[in-house]
């Protein structure tokens, strides 16, 4: 029974940690190739590493004389081992993985305090040995309660990987904070097992023993809660900074778009004012001069048509920018937007998703020799209770797919090819999926995202 409870306790701790890391990563990070094999293999490896504590603890009692320092290297290693679990399964930065590890450690320690130190240590000290099944249910209930609250917090996070600023020493500062936190927790647990536990059998110190245990429980809980709040707020501030940068960029583009529209509308007004005079003059000029004047008038109208109005600021800014770019390069960009679910996607995510999709399409048709094939079609509509986005364009050559994604045709493969992966990551973050097909000469990118009713 003692061995079973020891295995159960170690399994509880590591499975809880893995679960939190999964919740923080699965819905916001792009998965690596062979994702499910990586997930299963690394989870199993972490579980076996956690169970390695049992023979080491037995060896400690035999060789280490019961000194808590004997296990210090093991716990230091286990504090950072889950970091490699995140980096192995998902595509993220070291800062992103460290954030998830710190948050997971804070939350898991809160549950450990509830289950092990408060529940079993004080309220029901004999429960595991006397009623192991009831203890298991109690443990599951505590995890379900805390993880349910935690999941509500996770759902409010930006559903994408944030861009961390590369500040000097920022990573080491986070590592230092995490080390200080784990050191304080380790010393608190040592105080439980090596200082307070011997007092349990002394009746005259029973009140002191209980008060000290409650004090240490309070310290561990408050420390974890405060650290969780600080880390969470830091992440949210980073999200706001990222959104602010995109909004500032969009504001500059909209200002430029306004000036562009104003200038070209004024030009068209002048052209219209002079049109009656030009029509009269066209009767008397040569054919070449007549064609030149008609070309100028047509360009003014084309520029006016490039200003897109859909009712969505982010979409208007982006489509106008891309439309002007296409006009200048003799690319025809047609857009059909009819949807009520567009607000389902966050502003930054919408800008990123469509920007990458259109950039890839423009880059593809720019390489075409035939003017008739320099065409891009964008469709955004509601299909049932789904938001449906489609970008269609011609292409030449052969498109090789790997892990369901087209491989970039650029020589610098390490620094390109991230656009389509970003689109898929955003689609999955909203519970949707991206589909690609290259049939003959047409390349089709489709994104399907559940509408708001599906997510309620």
């Amino acid at each position: 029974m003692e061995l079973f409870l020891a295995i159960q306790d170690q399994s509880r701790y590591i499975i809880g940690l893995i679960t939190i890391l999964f919740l923080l990563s699965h819905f916001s990070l792009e998965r690596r190739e062979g994702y499910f094999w990586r997930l299963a293999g690394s989870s199993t490896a972490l579980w076996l590493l956690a169970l390695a504590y049992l023979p080491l603890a037995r060896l400690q009692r035999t060789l280490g004389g019961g000194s808590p320092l004997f296990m210090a290297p093991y716990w230091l290693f286990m504090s950072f081992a889950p970091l490699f679990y995140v980096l192995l399964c998902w595509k993220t930065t070291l800062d992103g993985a460290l954030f998830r590890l710190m948050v997971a450690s804070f939350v898991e320690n809160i549950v450990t305090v509830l289950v092990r130190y408060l529940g079993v240590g004080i309220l029901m000290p004999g429960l595991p040995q006397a009623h192991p099944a009831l203890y298991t249910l109690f443990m599951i209930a505590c995890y379900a309660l805390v993880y349910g609250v935690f999941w509500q917090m996770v759902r409010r996070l930006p559903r994408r990987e944030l861009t961390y600023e590369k500040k000097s020493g920022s990573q080491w500062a986070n590592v230092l904070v995490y080390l200080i936190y784990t050191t304080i927790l380790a010393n608190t647990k040592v105080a439980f097992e090596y200082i307070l536990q011997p007092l349990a059998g002394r009746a005259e110190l029973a009140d002191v023993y209980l008060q000290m245990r409650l004090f240490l429980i309070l310290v561990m809980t408050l420390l974890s809660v405060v650290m969780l709040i600080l880390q969470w707020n830091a992440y949210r501030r980073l999200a706001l900074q990222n959104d602010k940068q995109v909004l500032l960029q969009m504001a500059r583009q909209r200002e430029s778009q306004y000036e562009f529209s104003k200038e070209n509308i004024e030009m068209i007004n002048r052209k219209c004012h002079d049109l009656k005079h030009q029509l009269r003059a066209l009767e008397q000029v040569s054919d070449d001069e007549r064609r030149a004047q008609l070309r100028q008038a047509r360009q003014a109208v084309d520029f006016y048509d490039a200003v897109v109005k859909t009712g969505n600021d982010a979409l208007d800014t982006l489509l106008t920018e891309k439309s002007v770019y296409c006009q200048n390069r003799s690319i025809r960009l047609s857009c059909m937007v009819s949807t009520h679910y567009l607000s389902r996607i966050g502003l930054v995510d919408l800008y990123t998703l469509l920007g990458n999709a259109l950039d890839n399409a423009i880059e593809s048709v720019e390489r075409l020799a035939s003017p008739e094939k320099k065409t891009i079609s964008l469709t955004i509509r509601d299909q049932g209770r789904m938001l449906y986005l489609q970008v269609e364009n011609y292409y030449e050559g052969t498109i090789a797919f790997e892990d369901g994604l087209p491989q970039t045709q650029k020589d610098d493969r390490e620094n390109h090819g991230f656009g389509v992966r970003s689109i898929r990551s955003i689609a999955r973050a909203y519970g949707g999926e991206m589909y690609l097909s290259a049939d003959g000469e047409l390349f089709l990118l489709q994104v399907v995202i559940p509408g708001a009713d599906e997510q309620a």
Side-chain angles (χ1 to χ4, degrees):
M1 177 61 69
E2 182 179 353
L3 178 60
F4 169 77
L5 292 175
I7 293 176
Q8 186 185 57
D9 190 58
Q10 288 300 110
S11 300
R12 168 197 60 78
Y13 139 73
I14 198 63
I15 292 175
L17 195 65
I18 291 173
T19 301
I20 303 172
L21 290 173
F22 177 82
L23 293 177
L24 283 169
S25 305
H26 181 75
F27 300 100
S28 61
L29 297 181
E30 184 181 353
R31 306 161 195 172
R32 294 192 182 275
E33 185 178 356
Y35 172 67
F36 292 103
W37 288 108
R38 288 173 179 265
L39 200 65
S42 55
S43 299
T44 302
L46 281 179
W47 179 66
L48 293 176
L49 286 172
L51 294 185
Y53 168 80
L54 302 179
L56 288 175
R58 189 179 301 112
L59 184 63
Q60 175 192 19
R61 291 190 293 268
T62 304
L63 302 177
S67 172
L69 295 177
F70 182 85
M71 297 296 293
Y74 169 80
W75 285 119
L76 179 63
F77 173 78
M78 287 302 297
S79 296
F80 288 94
L83 193 69
F84 301 100
Y85 164 77
V86 177
L87 293 172
L88 183 67
C89 297
W90 293 277
K91 295 179 180 179
T92 182
T93 61
L94 181 60
D95 275 330
L98 186 59
F99 160 77
R100 288 166 173 81
L101 174 59
M102 294 174 71
V103 170
S105 298
F106 303 152
V107 176
E108 198 285 324
N109 185 69
I110 292 173
V111 188
T112 294
V113 170
L114 289 176
V115 172
R116 183 175 178 183
Y117 295 103
L118 181 61
V120 175
I122 294 180
L123 300 179
M124 301 169 289
L127 181 64
Q129 292 80 8
H131 305 284
L134 186 59
Y135 166 66
T136 301
L137 291 176
F138 167 73
M139 180 176 64
I140 293 174
C142 289
Y143 272 89
L145 174 64
V146 176
Y147 282 25
V149 175
F150 177 74
W151 173 241
Q152 296 304 315
M153 297 173 63
V154 171
R155 293 180 63 184
R156 291 174 172 81
L157 278 179
R159 293 192 172 191
R160 66 186 185 280
E161 177 68 322
L162 300 184
T163 302
Y164 289 79
E165 296 181 3
K166 297 299 182 182
K167 295 182 179 179
S168 177
S170 62
Q171 293 180 349
W172 292 110
N174 288 332
V175 171
L176 180 61
V177 169
Y178 183 56
L179 279 175
I180 293 174
Y181 168 79
T182 54
T183 301
I184 294 175
L185 280 186
N187 289 331
T188 305
K189 294 174 182 178
V190 167
F192 259 113
E193 298 178 8
Y194 292 89
I195 298 176
L196 290 182
Q197 195 62 35
L199 302 179
R202 302 176 61 176
E204 67 276 13
L205 297 177
D207 291 340
V208 176
Y209 171 72
L210 178 60
Q211 292 173 6
M212 287 299 297
R213 287 180 68 92
L214 290 174
F215 173 75
L216 291 178
I217 288 173
L218 182 62
V219 168
M220 287 194 294
T221 304
L222 286 179
L223 178 62
S224 298
V225 171
V226 169
M227 292 298 295
L228 178 61
I229 292 174
L230 291 176
Q231 191 72 3
W232 208 260
N233 288 336
Y235 192 80
R236 292 183 67 85
R237 284 197 302 271
L238 180 61
L240 291 175
Q241 290 174 4
N242 284 7
D243 289 352
K244 184 179 179 181
Q245 290 176 359
V246 174
L247 289 174
L248 288 175
Q249 179 184 359
M250 287 181 57
R252 288 192 294 267
Q253 290 175 340
R254 285 192 64 81
E255 182 179 356
S256 175
Q257 173 189 340
Y258 170 75
E259 294 298 329
F260 158 82
S261 302
K262 180 180 177 182
E263 291 174 2
N264 286 283
I265 290 174
E266 289 176 354
M267 180 184 68
I268 292 173
N269 289 335
R270 290 196 303 269
K271 291 290 183 180
C272 291
H273 182 267
D274 296 337
L275 184 59
K276 60 181 179 179
H277 303 291
Q278 292 176 356
L279 289 174
R280 190 176 298 114
L282 286 175
E283 298 175 355
Q284 304 175 6
V285 299
S286 65
D287 290 342
D288 291 341
E289 190 173 352
R290 184 184 299 113
R291 282 192 293 268
Q293 292 188 20
L294 288 173
R295 191 183 307 113
Q296 291 179 4
R298 189 182 302 111
Q299 287 176 350
V301 175
D302 288 342
F303 275 122
Y304 181 79
D305 288 340
V307 180
V308 180
K309 299 292 183 182
T310 68
N312 183 288
D313 288 344
L315 201 56
D316 291 348
T317 301
L318 178 67
L319 293 183
T320 298
E321 174 194 353
K322 302 304 179 186
S323 181
V324 172
Y325 184 93
C326 290
Q327 288 278 7
N328 291 333
R329 287 157 181 80
S330 301
I331 299 173
R332 293 182 298 278
L333 173 61
S334 64
C335 306
M336 187 186 75
V337 180
S338 177
T339 175
H340 300 289
Y341 288 141
L342 203 58
S343 59
R344 169 83 180 92
I345 307 178
L347 182 66
V348 177
D349 291 334
L350 175 63
Y351 203 80
T352 303
L353 189 153
L354 286 177
N356 282 323
L358 291 175
D359 284 345
N360 290 339
I362 291 172
E363 190 174 308
S364 177
V365 299
E366 278 185 319
R367 292 193 288 263
L368 300 177
S370 174
E372 291 77 14
K373 293 183 178 179
K374 291 188 175 183
T375 301
I376 300 171
S377 173
L378 169 67
T379 302
I380 305 176
R381 70 174 189 269
D382 296 337
Q383 188 167 310
R385 293 187 175 183
M386 309 292 285
L387 173 62
Y388 177 83
L389 300 95
Q390 175 178 296
V391 177
E392 186 178 24
N393 62 272
Y394 287 97
Y395 73 96
E396 285 183 351
T398 302
I399 297 180
F401 285 84
E402 182 177 328
D403 190 25
L405 300 177
Q407 297 305 293
T408 178
Q409 299 181 17
K410 298 180 179 179
D411 295 332
D412 186 7
R413 292 180 179 271
E414 292 184 358
N415 296 318
H416 295 94
F418 296 103
V420 179
R421 291 203 294 269
S422 176
I423 295 171
R424 184 174 67 177
S425 177
I426 293 173
R428 289 178 174 177
Y430 287 91
E433 189 54 83
M434 178 192 74
Y435 304 96
L436 302 174
S437 65
D439 183 13
E441 297 179 321
L442 284 177
F443 183 85
L444 186 65
L445 182 149
Q446 297 173 308
V447 175
V448 181
I449 295 176
D453 294 341
E454 292 290 311
Q455 299 294 320

